[in-house]
Amino acid sequence: MAQGWFITFEGPEGSGKTTQIALLRDYFARLGLEVVTTREPGGTPAGDRIRSVLLGNETGSLEPETELFLMLAQRTEHLHKVIHPAVAAGKVVLCDRYFDSSMAYQGYARGLDPQKVRDIHAQFLPGFLPGCTVLLQIAPEQGLERARHGGRKQHDRIESEALEFHRRVYDGYNSLAQQEPERFVVVQADGDPQAISARIIEGLKKRLTFPDGNK
Ligand code: TYD
């Protein structure tokens, strides 16, 4: 491919993005595509350090704007140093969370104006939007239980927010998907991982031209 693909995965906590990214990576590799997997917050050395400030419980509370600017800072590094170069080299980038997480979490859930969140990205990160976004939807109660691995894993700073916060994340994602149906592939995230993967691939095929002769 002359120009690669930039595909992001989004969803509330515990929506199974990690499993689905691994399945899609293997599928694309079988088609002979070169795949890069990455995540946010993170994806670069500076981004990983910013991640520990954002998610560490020892950070305590942050102003919504502070949280947004830290997300934007790690994204700027990630987009310039990892995502754009890989796509320009013809690779497929599968990114676990990206811009829509800032819309859902800092915008809809923390209460910052979503239009302002969108505008600030457009201003500082031209060409920042992915070609396709897979939204794995799961009810917050169910997702949080899965994210906790049945209570065995400690919550990070954002996961620890109240259920009401996570309901706003869920609703925010639905609004985003409704606003851009051509970019979003929405798949319900409960059920058999292989069946979910098949639905994701079906949705992507409607939006991207896959290499010939492969199923
Ligand atoms: P992570 O451990 O990667 O969680 P998950 O497995 O659910 O993806 O934590 C990422 C957290 O950061 C998650 O709670 C969502 C949050 N986040 C934002 O609030 N805004 C953002 O822009 C991004 C990229 C993530």
mmCIF file of all heavy atoms in Angstrom, residues 161-197:
data_model
loop_
_atom_site.group_PDB
_atom_site.id
_atom_site.type_symbol
_atom_site.label_atom_id
_atom_site.label_comp_id
_atom_site.label_asym_id
_atom_site.label_seq_id
_atom_site.Cartn_x
_atom_site.Cartn_y
_atom_site.Cartn_z
ATOM 1 N N GLU A 161 -13.368 6.285 38.868
ATOM 2 C CA GLU A 161 -14.481 7.237 38.883
ATOM 3 C C GLU A 161 -15.815 6.519 39.117
ATOM 4 O O GLU A 161 -15.939 5.330 38.822
ATOM 5 C CB GLU A 161 -14.540 7.988 37.538
ATOM 6 C CG GLU A 161 -13.450 9.006 37.346
ATOM 7 C CD GLU A 161 -13.547 10.183 38.311
ATOM 8 O OE1 GLU A 161 -14.654 10.479 38.799
ATOM 9 O OE2 GLU A 161 -12.497 10.786 38.595
ATOM 10 N N ALA A 162 -16.819 7.283 39.574
ATOM 11 C CA ALA A 162 -18.129 6.717 39.890
ATOM 12 C C ALA A 162 -18.815 6.163 38.642
ATOM 13 O O ALA A 162 -18.502 6.567 37.504
ATOM 14 C CB ALA A 162 -19.003 7.802 40.511
ATOM 15 N N LEU A 163 -19.753 5.262 38.883
ATOM 16 C CA LEU A 163 -20.503 4.644 37.781
ATOM 17 C C LEU A 163 -21.145 5.695 36.874
ATOM 18 O O LEU A 163 -21.169 5.559 35.656
ATOM 19 C CB LEU A 163 -21.587 3.725 38.382
ATOM 20 C CG LEU A 163 -22.405 2.907 37.404
ATOM 21 C CD1 LEU A 163 -21.520 2.011 36.544
ATOM 22 C CD2 LEU A 163 -23.427 2.070 38.159
ATOM 23 N N GLU A 164 -21.631 6.780 37.476
ATOM 24 C CA GLU A 164 -22.268 7.859 36.713
ATOM 25 C C GLU A 164 -21.315 8.420 35.651
ATOM 26 O O GLU A 164 -21.715 8.726 34.517
ATOM 27 C CB GLU A 164 -22.693 8.955 37.704
ATOM 28 C CG GLU A 164 -23.836 9.816 37.245
ATOM 29 C CD GLU A 164 -24.911 9.063 36.472
ATOM 30 O OE1 GLU A 164 -25.483 8.090 36.979
ATOM 31 O OE2 GLU A 164 -25.134 9.475 35.315
ATOM 32 N N PHE A 165 -20.041 8.583 36.031
ATOM 33 C CA PHE A 165 -19.004 9.051 35.094
ATOM 34 C C PHE A 165 -18.908 8.079 33.912
ATOM 35 O O PHE A 165 -18.903 8.496 32.748
ATOM 36 C CB PHE A 165 -17.659 9.131 35.839
ATOM 37 C CG PHE A 165 -16.472 9.468 34.967
ATOM 38 C CD1 PHE A 165 -16.097 10.781 34.752
ATOM 39 C CD2 PHE A 165 -15.710 8.457 34.374
ATOM 40 C CE1 PHE A 165 -14.989 11.098 33.959
ATOM 41 C CE2 PHE A 165 -14.613 8.757 33.581
ATOM 42 C CZ PHE A 165 -14.256 10.080 33.373
ATOM 43 N N HIS A 166 -18.867 6.791 34.211
ATOM 44 C CA HIS A 166 -18.716 5.787 33.144
ATOM 45 C C HIS A 166 -19.976 5.691 32.277
ATOM 46 O O HIS A 166 -19.889 5.345 31.093
ATOM 47 C CB HIS A 166 -18.320 4.441 33.750
ATOM 48 C CG HIS A 166 -16.945 4.482 34.362
ATOM 49 N ND1 HIS A 166 -15.794 4.535 33.603
ATOM 50 C CD2 HIS A 166 -16.544 4.554 35.654
ATOM 51 C CE1 HIS A 166 -14.735 4.609 34.407
ATOM 52 N NE2 HIS A 166 -15.168 4.626 35.656
ATOM 53 N N ARG A 167 -21.135 6.021 32.861
ATOM 54 C CA ARG A 167 -22.354 6.074 32.043
ATOM 55 C C ARG A 167 -22.255 7.220 31.038
ATOM 56 O O ARG A 167 -22.703 7.104 29.905
ATOM 57 C CB ARG A 167 -23.592 6.286 32.920
ATOM 58 C CG ARG A 167 -23.914 5.079 33.760
ATOM 59 C CD ARG A 167 -25.425 4.988 34.042
ATOM 60 N NE ARG A 167 -25.723 3.744 34.713
ATOM 61 C CZ ARG A 167 -26.005 3.634 36.024
ATOM 62 N NH1 ARG A 167 -26.085 4.707 36.779
ATOM 63 N NH2 ARG A 167 -26.227 2.457 36.562
ATOM 64 N N ARG A 168 -21.682 8.349 31.466
ATOM 65 C CA ARG A 168 -21.532 9.478 30.530
ATOM 66 C C ARG A 168 -20.539 9.128 29.416
ATOM 67 O O ARG A 168 -20.704 9.544 28.267
ATOM 68 C CB ARG A 168 -21.099 10.746 31.289
ATOM 69 C CG ARG A 168 -22.184 11.332 32.180
ATOM 70 C CD ARG A 168 -21.878 12.749 32.609
ATOM 71 N NE ARG A 168 -20.693 12.883 33.452
ATOM 72 C CZ ARG A 168 -20.674 12.735 34.787
ATOM 73 N NH1 ARG A 168 -21.778 12.448 35.441
ATOM 74 N NH2 ARG A 168 -19.544 12.884 35.459
ATOM 75 N N VAL A 169 -19.490 8.367 29.761
ATOM 76 C CA VAL A 169 -18.536 7.898 28.737
ATOM 77 C C VAL A 169 -19.291 7.070 27.697
ATOM 78 O O VAL A 169 -19.169 7.293 26.488
ATOM 79 C CB VAL A 169 -17.407 7.044 29.382
ATOM 80 C CG1 VAL A 169 -16.575 6.330 28.312
ATOM 81 C CG2 VAL A 169 -16.513 7.911 30.259
ATOM 82 N N TYR A 170 -20.085 6.121 28.176
ATOM 83 C CA TYR A 170 -20.855 5.222 27.296
ATOM 84 C C TYR A 170 -21.777 6.031 26.376
ATOM 85 O O TYR A 170 -21.778 5.845 25.151
ATOM 86 C CB TYR A 170 -21.652 4.262 28.182
ATOM 87 C CG TYR A 170 -22.557 3.314 27.443
ATOM 88 C CD1 TYR A 170 -22.078 2.097 26.960
ATOM 89 C CD2 TYR A 170 -23.901 3.616 27.246
ATOM 90 C CE1 TYR A 170 -22.911 1.216 26.288
ATOM 91 C CE2 TYR A 170 -24.740 2.737 26.571
ATOM 92 C CZ TYR A 170 -24.241 1.545 26.100
ATOM 93 O OH TYR A 170 -25.066 0.677 25.426
ATOM 94 N N ASP A 171 -22.546 6.950 26.972
ATOM 95 C CA ASP A 171 -23.470 7.770 26.172
ATOM 96 C C ASP A 171 -22.702 8.665 25.203
ATOM 97 O O ASP A 171 -23.136 8.893 24.069
ATOM 98 C CB ASP A 171 -24.348 8.646 27.081
ATOM 99 C CG ASP A 171 -25.331 7.810 27.897
ATOM 100 O OD1 ASP A 171 -25.582 6.653 27.523
ATOM 101 O OD2 ASP A 171 -25.831 8.327 28.922
ATOM 102 N N GLY A 172 -21.581 9.199 25.663
ATOM 103 C CA GLY A 172 -20.752 10.059 24.816
ATOM 104 C C GLY A 172 -20.279 9.311 23.572
ATOM 105 O O GLY A 172 -20.349 9.832 22.453
ATOM 106 N N TYR A 173 -19.832 8.074 23.760
ATOM 107 C CA TYR A 173 -19.402 7.271 22.607
ATOM 108 C C TYR A 173 -20.553 7.067 21.627
ATOM 109 O O TYR A 173 -20.353 7.129 20.414
ATOM 110 C CB TYR A 173 -18.870 5.911 23.072
ATOM 111 C CG TYR A 173 -17.409 5.908 23.441
ATOM 112 C CD1 TYR A 173 -16.972 5.383 24.649
ATOM 113 C CD2 TYR A 173 -16.439 6.396 22.558
ATOM 114 C CE1 TYR A 173 -15.628 5.351 24.985
ATOM 115 C CE2 TYR A 173 -15.090 6.361 22.875
ATOM 116 C CZ TYR A 173 -14.688 5.839 24.099
ATOM 117 O OH TYR A 173 -13.355 5.808 24.414
ATOM 118 N N ASN A 174 -21.760 6.804 22.157
ATOM 119 C CA ASN A 174 -22.905 6.626 21.251
ATOM 120 C C ASN A 174 -23.147 7.891 20.437
ATOM 121 O O ASN A 174 -23.399 7.826 19.231
ATOM 122 C CB ASN A 174 -24.170 6.261 22.042
ATOM 123 C CG ASN A 174 -24.183 4.789 22.411
ATOM 124 O OD1 ASN A 174 -23.521 3.974 21.772
ATOM 125 N ND2 ASN A 174 -24.931 4.442 23.453
ATOM 126 N N SER A 175 -23.047 9.059 21.095
ATOM 127 C CA SER A 175 -23.252 10.315 20.359
ATOM 128 C C SER A 175 -22.194 10.476 19.274
ATOM 129 O O SER A 175 -22.505 10.858 18.140
ATOM 130 C CB SER A 175 -23.145 11.533 21.285
ATOM 131 O OG SER A 175 -24.059 11.428 22.313
ATOM 132 N N LEU A 176 -20.955 10.190 19.611
ATOM 133 C CA LEU A 176 -19.869 10.348 18.633
ATOM 134 C C LEU A 176 -20.106 9.451 17.419
ATOM 135 O O LEU A 176 -19.929 9.873 16.273
ATOM 136 C CB LEU A 176 -18.520 10.008 19.275
ATOM 137 C CG LEU A 176 -18.039 10.989 20.335
ATOM 138 C CD1 LEU A 176 -16.875 10.399 21.136
ATOM 139 C CD2 LEU A 176 -17.621 12.317 19.697
ATOM 140 N N ALA A 177 -20.493 8.209 17.681
ATOM 141 C CA ALA A 177 -20.711 7.257 16.576
ATOM 142 C C ALA A 177 -21.883 7.705 15.705
ATOM 143 O O ALA A 177 -21.844 7.547 14.476
ATOM 144 C CB ALA A 177 -20.953 5.862 17.130
ATOM 145 N N GLN A 178 -22.903 8.273 16.340
ATOM 146 C CA GLN A 178 -24.049 8.747 15.551
ATOM 147 C C GLN A 178 -23.667 9.940 14.683
ATOM 148 O O GLN A 178 -24.170 10.112 13.580
ATOM 149 C CB GLN A 178 -25.207 9.142 16.466
ATOM 150 C CG GLN A 178 -26.047 7.948 16.890
ATOM 151 C CD GLN A 178 -26.878 8.210 18.125
ATOM 152 O OE1 GLN A 178 -27.109 9.358 18.499
ATOM 153 N NE2 GLN A 178 -27.317 7.159 18.770
ATOM 154 N N GLN A 179 -22.750 10.766 15.186
ATOM 155 C CA GLN A 179 -22.351 11.952 14.422
ATOM 156 C C GLN A 179 -21.512 11.594 13.192
ATOM 157 O O GLN A 179 -21.497 12.324 12.217
ATOM 158 C CB GLN A 179 -21.528 12.908 15.305
ATOM 159 C CG GLN A 179 -22.355 13.660 16.335
ATOM 160 C CD GLN A 179 -21.478 14.226 17.443
ATOM 161 O OE1 GLN A 179 -20.339 14.648 17.217
ATOM 162 N NE2 GLN A 179 -21.994 14.211 18.658
ATOM 163 N N GLU A 180 -20.759 10.488 13.272
ATOM 164 C CA GLU A 180 -19.872 10.120 12.152
ATOM 165 C C GLU A 180 -20.038 8.642 11.792
ATOM 166 O O GLU A 180 -19.096 7.851 11.981
ATOM 167 C CB GLU A 180 -18.418 10.389 12.519
ATOM 168 C CG GLU A 180 -18.033 11.849 12.582
ATOM 169 C CD GLU A 180 -16.564 12.002 12.919
ATOM 170 O OE1 GLU A 180 -15.720 11.842 12.027
ATOM 171 O OE2 GLU A 180 -16.261 12.238 14.102
ATOM 172 N N PRO A 181 -21.208 8.264 11.279
ATOM 173 C CA PRO A 181 -21.434 6.831 11.002
ATOM 174 C C PRO A 181 -20.485 6.265 9.947
ATOM 175 O O PRO A 181 -20.215 5.070 9.937
ATOM 176 C CB PRO A 181 -22.891 6.793 10.511
ATOM 177 C CG PRO A 181 -23.242 8.191 10.159
ATOM 178 C CD PRO A 181 -22.358 9.104 10.935
ATOM 179 N N GLU A 182 -19.957 7.129 9.084
ATOM 180 C CA GLU A 182 -19.056 6.617 8.041
ATOM 181 C C GLU A 182 -17.686 6.238 8.614
ATOM 182 O O GLU A 182 -17.001 5.369 8.093
ATOM 183 C CB GLU A 182 -18.930 7.604 6.865
ATOM 184 C CG GLU A 182 -18.332 8.968 7.128
ATOM 185 C CD GLU A 182 -19.111 9.863 8.112
ATOM 186 O OE1 GLU A 182 -20.339 9.722 8.277
ATOM 187 O OE2 GLU A 182 -18.459 10.726 8.733
ATOM 188 N N ARG A 183 -17.293 6.881 9.729
ATOM 189 C CA ARG A 183 -15.988 6.543 10.333
ATOM 190 C C ARG A 183 -16.103 5.412 11.351
ATOM 191 O O ARG A 183 -15.191 4.607 11.508
ATOM 192 C CB ARG A 183 -15.384 7.794 11.003
ATOM 193 C CG ARG A 183 -14.079 7.511 11.737
ATOM 194 C CD ARG A 183 -13.285 8.773 12.023
ATOM 195 N NE ARG A 183 -13.860 9.676 12.996
ATOM 196 C CZ ARG A 183 -13.656 9.608 14.313
ATOM 197 N NH1 ARG A 183 -12.876 8.675 14.814
ATOM 198 N NH2 ARG A 183 -14.212 10.496 15.123
ATOM 199 N N PHE A 184 -17.233 5.331 12.060
ATOM 200 C CA PHE A 184 -17.353 4.385 13.175
ATOM 201 C C PHE A 184 -17.907 3.029 12.761
ATOM 202 O O PHE A 184 -18.938 2.949 12.097
ATOM 203 C CB PHE A 184 -18.279 4.955 14.250
ATOM 204 C CG PHE A 184 -17.596 5.893 15.203
ATOM 205 C CD1 PHE A 184 -17.530 7.254 14.936
ATOM 206 C CD2 PHE A 184 -17.008 5.406 16.371
ATOM 207 C CE1 PHE A 184 -16.897 8.123 15.813
ATOM 208 C CE2 PHE A 184 -16.377 6.272 17.260
ATOM 209 C CZ PHE A 184 -16.321 7.636 16.978
ATOM 210 N N VAL A 185 -17.227 1.971 13.198
ATOM 211 C CA VAL A 185 -17.757 0.605 13.144
ATOM 212 C C VAL A 185 -18.161 0.271 14.578
ATOM 213 O O VAL A 185 -17.300 0.152 15.449
ATOM 214 C CB VAL A 185 -16.681 -0.392 12.655
ATOM 215 C CG1 VAL A 185 -17.197 -1.826 12.718
ATOM 216 C CG2 VAL A 185 -16.197 -0.033 11.259
ATOM 217 N N VAL A 186 -19.458 0.184 14.838
ATOM 218 C CA VAL A 186 -19.921 -0.053 16.215
ATOM 219 C C VAL A 186 -20.281 -1.523 16.383
ATOM 220 O O VAL A 186 -21.062 -2.069 15.603
ATOM 221 C CB VAL A 186 -21.155 0.826 16.549
ATOM 222 C CG1 VAL A 186 -21.554 0.644 18.008
ATOM 223 C CG2 VAL A 186 -20.870 2.291 16.250
ATOM 224 N N VAL A 187 -19.668 -2.149 17.378
ATOM 225 C CA VAL A 187 -19.896 -3.580 17.613
ATOM 226 C C VAL A 187 -20.178 -3.796 19.096
ATOM 227 O O VAL A 187 -19.470 -3.237 19.948
ATOM 228 C CB VAL A 187 -18.638 -4.398 17.175
ATOM 229 C CG1 VAL A 187 -18.788 -5.867 17.538
ATOM 230 C CG2 VAL A 187 -18.399 -4.240 15.674
ATOM 231 N N GLN A 188 -21.207 -4.570 19.416
ATOM 232 C CA GLN A 188 -21.475 -4.897 20.828
ATOM 233 C C GLN A 188 -20.390 -5.845 21.317
ATOM 234 O O GLN A 188 -20.061 -6.824 20.645
ATOM 235 C CB GLN A 188 -22.874 -5.524 20.980
ATOM 236 C CG GLN A 188 -24.015 -4.555 20.655
ATOM 237 C CD GLN A 188 -23.880 -3.204 21.376
ATOM 238 O OE1 GLN A 188 -23.691 -3.154 22.585
ATOM 239 N NE2 GLN A 188 -23.945 -2.114 20.623
ATOM 240 N N ALA A 189 -19.841 -5.525 22.500
ATOM 241 C CA ALA A 189 -18.603 -6.187 22.925
ATOM 242 C C ALA A 189 -18.812 -7.400 23.820
ATOM 243 O O ALA A 189 -17.842 -7.991 24.284
ATOM 244 C CB ALA A 189 -17.701 -5.179 23.635
ATOM 245 N N ASP A 190 -20.068 -7.790 24.075
ATOM 246 C CA ASP A 190 -20.225 -8.996 24.889
ATOM 247 C C ASP A 190 -20.501 -10.181 23.972
ATOM 248 O O ASP A 190 -21.237 -10.075 22.994
ATOM 249 C CB ASP A 190 -21.345 -8.839 25.938
ATOM 250 C CG ASP A 190 -22.616 -8.260 25.333
ATOM 251 O OD1 ASP A 190 -22.535 -7.701 24.221
ATOM 252 O OD2 ASP A 190 -23.681 -8.389 25.958
ATOM 253 N N GLY A 191 -19.846 -11.287 24.283
ATOM 254 C CA GLY A 191 -20.028 -12.477 23.451
ATOM 255 C C GLY A 191 -18.690 -13.085 23.067
ATOM 256 O O GLY A 191 -17.644 -12.712 23.602
ATOM 257 N N ASP A 192 -18.759 -13.999 22.127
ATOM 258 C CA ASP A 192 -17.576 -14.754 21.714
ATOM 259 C C ASP A 192 -16.571 -13.846 20.980
ATOM 260 O O ASP A 192 -16.937 -13.191 19.996
ATOM 261 C CB ASP A 192 -18.059 -15.892 20.789
ATOM 262 C CG ASP A 192 -16.901 -16.587 20.119
ATOM 263 O OD1 ASP A 192 -15.913 -16.883 20.810
ATOM 264 O OD2 ASP A 192 -16.975 -16.806 18.876
ATOM 265 N N PRO A 193 -15.318 -13.798 21.435
ATOM 266 C CA PRO A 193 -14.326 -12.904 20.815
ATOM 267 C C PRO A 193 -14.162 -13.121 19.310
ATOM 268 O O PRO A 193 -14.013 -12.151 18.565
ATOM 269 C CB PRO A 193 -13.025 -13.236 21.555
ATOM 270 C CG PRO A 193 -13.464 -13.806 22.864
ATOM 271 C CD PRO A 193 -14.769 -14.487 22.625
ATOM 272 N N GLN A 194 -14.227 -14.380 18.851
ATOM 273 C CA GLN A 194 -14.059 -14.643 17.407
ATOM 274 C C GLN A 194 -15.243 -14.068 16.619
ATOM 275 O O GLN A 194 -15.070 -13.527 15.531
ATOM 276 C CB GLN A 194 -13.947 -16.151 17.141
ATOM 277 C CG GLN A 194 -12.695 -16.790 17.723
ATOM 278 C CD GLN A 194 -11.405 -16.350 17.027
ATOM 279 O OE1 GLN A 194 -11.440 -15.747 15.944
ATOM 280 N NE2 GLN A 194 -10.267 -16.630 17.644
ATOM 281 N N ALA A 195 -16.439 -14.174 17.192
ATOM 282 C CA ALA A 195 -17.631 -13.643 16.510
ATOM 283 C C ALA A 195 -17.562 -12.116 16.474
ATOM 284 O O ALA A 195 -17.917 -11.487 15.468
ATOM 285 C CB ALA A 195 -18.892 -14.109 17.229
ATOM 286 N N ILE A 196 -17.084 -11.513 17.556
ATOM 287 C CA ILE A 196 -16.937 -10.049 17.592
ATOM 288 C C ILE A 196 -15.913 -9.621 16.541
ATOM 289 O O ILE A 196 -16.124 -8.666 15.803
ATOM 290 C CB ILE A 196 -16.527 -9.582 19.011
ATOM 291 C CG1 ILE A 196 -17.671 -9.875 19.998
ATOM 292 C CG2 ILE A 196 -16.168 -8.100 19.024
ATOM 293 C CD1 ILE A 196 -17.296 -9.711 21.455
ATOM 294 N N SER A 197 -14.804 -10.364 16.454
ATOM 295 C CA SER A 197 -13.760 -10.049 15.474
ATOM 296 C C SER A 197 -14.331 -10.110 14.054
ATOM 297 O O SER A 197 -14.042 -9.239 13.221
ATOM 298 C CB SER A 197 -12.591 -11.027 15.637
ATOM 299 O OG SER A 197 -11.588 -10.720 14.710
#
